[in-house]
Amino acid sequence: MSGRRGGDAGKRRAGGQRFSSRHRKAWLALVALAVVIGVAVAGTGAYAYMLNGKFNNVAKVTTKTLKEKDRPDPDKGKALNILLIGSDKGKKIEGESQDTSIAQDAKAAKWPAGKYRSDTLMVVHITANRKFAFLTSIPRDTFTTLYDAKGNPQGQNKVNAAFSEYGPLGTVSTVEHLTNLRMKHLAIIDWEGFKDLSTAVGGVPVTIPKAFYDPKQKVQWEAGTQTLKGNKALQYVRTRYGLLRGDFDRIARQQNFLRAMMKKVLAKGTMTNPVKLINTVSALTKNLTVDEEWTSGDMRGLALSLRGVQTKDVIFLTAPVAGTETIPEFGDIVRLEEAKTAELFKALKDDNLRDYLKKYPDDVLKPPSQVD
């Protein structure tokens, strides 16, 4: 029963290099789902036409060139998997224009390897009955086999190197091989829109369980509930120093912030306010790229089918981690717990997470007041 609650490329350059802005950008991809759901509430009314126009302007990339025989079976209109990728705007590299967009570069004869970076990947599974959504983060340092834009293996590396080296299609193919899940759609978000989005909804309330200091960003976080937007929101989702589990706690913070933002987007104060809603959708769509097959009509149709979904029906998970290690050629890497990871992705493939969540209840994101 679907929908049950339990329902040898790139290497160090692409995958292991540290840079100051990489953590503040990529998680924004997850907000796409929140806005798509939220627009369902506003799908009828005086300003629906304006919202439709916003979705009509979303940039597109094609996924048609991936070889069908090497991809998992499509969902055939039942459960839906969407791959969310976070990306920066791209840096200047020799022989390539910095002014071209991801959609333009994806259509070019050759993907500009090394121009873009992505550090957040999330598989969004929407159940066949459209009552639940499961959002599963794949840690950016996950060590796995990468695949290129034609679905050919290219050696092992960190999973975040797939986007840098092989672009959107390579990332789709890499994640499909890792999970054995067919990605029905693809959404890529540029982190630059984050400030506008967090501001457009009037700020996002989060709870800091206990005070601590982030020496990297030089931020003192005081205990209590705070409403964050703009730079302060960026600092919250970037934090890893001062947190016990470092990057893994940062993933939890990013999911926690998204959960709070979804609640804010779905709130009547946002959905029934034409100006606030238009600003929210504009902040998203101007930084959004999706696959060519995901038409604006399909997006609206999905939104309408998700009208009954509430924040409590969106469950956040992270692919099970066995441990970390250092490989000189690649730096610090993450090893997934193979058997448990296979169990999770099979549960998603079967569109039934009841048994998995009953067996591993602690794998679900903690309540807001318990996320460090």
Side-chain angles (χ1 to χ4, degrees):
M1 175 179 176
S2 72
R4 292 181 295 187
R5 184 67 179 243
D8 318 286
K11 298 184 179 177
R12 179 72 180 178
R13 173 168 63 87
Q17 188 174 355
R18 298 186 184 279
F19 57 103
S20 61
S21 66
R22 66 184 183 179
H23 307 305
R24 61 187 169 182
K25 68 204 179 193
W27 78 274
L28 177 60
L30 318 184
V31 180
L33 180 66
V35 176
V36 168
I37 293 173
V39 170
V41 181
T44 58
Y47 47 91
Y49 179 80
M50 289 184 286
L51 292 177
N52 293 342
K54 297 293 183 185
F55 280 108
N56 288 334
N57 293 330
V58 172
K60 302 291 182 68
V61 298
T62 184
T63 56
K64 290 182 178 178
T65 60
L66 290 176
K67 294 180 288 188
E68 286 296 321
K69 69 181 183 66
D70 293 331
R71 306 183 72 192
D73 290 337
D75 293 313
K76 298 180 180 179
K78 297 181 180 178
L80 188 67
N81 295 312
I82 302 169
L83 179 61
L84 297 177
I85 303 173
S87 174
D88 56 15
K89 279 190 174 297
K91 66 179 182 179
K92 176 65 177 176
I93 60 175
E94 186 176 354
E96 299 287 346
S97 172
Q98 189 175 3
D99 297 329
T100 52
S101 67
I102 289 173
Q104 291 170 324
D105 286 331
K107 293 177 181 178
K110 182 180 179 182
W111 173 258
K115 179 178 177 180
Y116 299 97
R117 288 186 173 94
S118 172
D119 287 298
T120 293
L121 291 176
M122 180 169 281
V123 175
V124 178
H125 177 85
I126 301 174
T127 58
N129 62 11
R130 300 301 188 257
K131 291 184 177 180
F132 299 97
F134 296 89
L135 284 72
T136 303
S137 293
I138 301 174
R140 71 177 195 274
D141 291 337
T142 297
F143 201 64
T144 189
T145 300
L146 303 190
Y147 291 79
D148 64 18
K150 295 184 178 179
N152 299 315
Q154 297 295 321
Q156 290 197 309
N157 204 333
K158 298 181 182 184
V159 71
N160 69 332
F163 189 73
S164 178
E165 292 300 310
Y166 307 113
L169 299 188
T171 307
V172 170
S173 186
T174 296
V175 172
E176 287 188 340
H177 280 86
L178 175 64
T179 64
N180 195 33
L181 295 170
R182 175 65 174 261
M183 298 298 119
K184 181 69 174 180
H185 292 300
L186 166 71
I188 309 167
I189 303 291
D190 181 350
W191 73 267
E192 289 284 351
F194 171 73
K195 290 182 183 179
D196 291 340
L197 188 54
S198 62
T199 300
V201 298
V204 178
V206 298
T207 299
I208 311 295
K210 57 184 178 181
F212 72 95
Y213 180 68
D214 176 359
K216 180 69 172 181
Q217 300 185 101
K218 296 181 173 58
V219 176
Q220 174 66 41
W221 293 98
E222 301 296 343
T225 300
Q226 305 175 31
T227 299
L228 307 180
K229 58 183 177 181
N231 286 329
K232 196 67 174 180
L234 287 176
Q235 290 172 336
Y236 177 84
V237 298
R238 292 180 65 192
T239 300
R240 68 186 175 100
Y241 290 94
L243 299 176
L244 182 63
R245 300 187 306 141
D247 283 342
F248 300 116
D249 278 340
R250 178 169 53 199
I251 289 175
R253 270 193 158 211
Q254 293 171 349
Q255 292 183 346
N256 185 51
F257 195 91
L258 175 62
R259 177 172 57 190
M261 180 173 281
M262 291 181 70
K263 185 175 182 179
K264 192 67 178 287
V265 169
L266 291 170
K268 291 182 178 180
T270 300
M271 290 296 99
T272 59
N273 184 322
V275 174
K276 185 175 288 188
L277 180 59
I278 291 297
N279 288 342
T280 301
V281 176
S282 296
L284 172 69
T285 57
K286 72 181 181 182
N287 294 286
L288 175 67
T289 300
V290 302
D291 61 276
E292 284 185 340
E293 290 73 39
W294 202 2
T295 67
S296 56
D298 288 343
M299 283 189 243
R300 291 192 298 273
L302 174 61
L304 289 170
S305 72
L306 293 168
R307 281 180 297 184
V309 174
Q310 302 177 40
T311 307
K312 65 180 179 62
D313 303 320
V314 181
I315 295 91
F316 292 85
L317 302 159
T318 299
V321 173
T324 61
E325 62 182 274
T326 300
I327 301 178
E329 187 176 5
F330 302 100
D332 297 333
I333 62 109
V334 168
R335 297 281 188 187
L336 296 183
E337 189 174 337
E338 293 185 8
K340 187 177 177 183
T341 297
E343 195 174 351
L344 168 61
F345 290 132
K346 185 178 187 304
L348 290 172
K349 190 178 185 69
D350 293 342
D351 195 28
N352 179 11
L353 269 82
R354 169 185 284 181
D355 293 338
Y356 182 88
L357 293 181
K358 184 177 181 180
K359 187 176 180 180
Y360 307 109
D362 293 339
D363 283 11
V364 174
L365 181 65
K366 295 178 182 178
S369 62
Q370 298 178 25
V371 177
D372 290 334

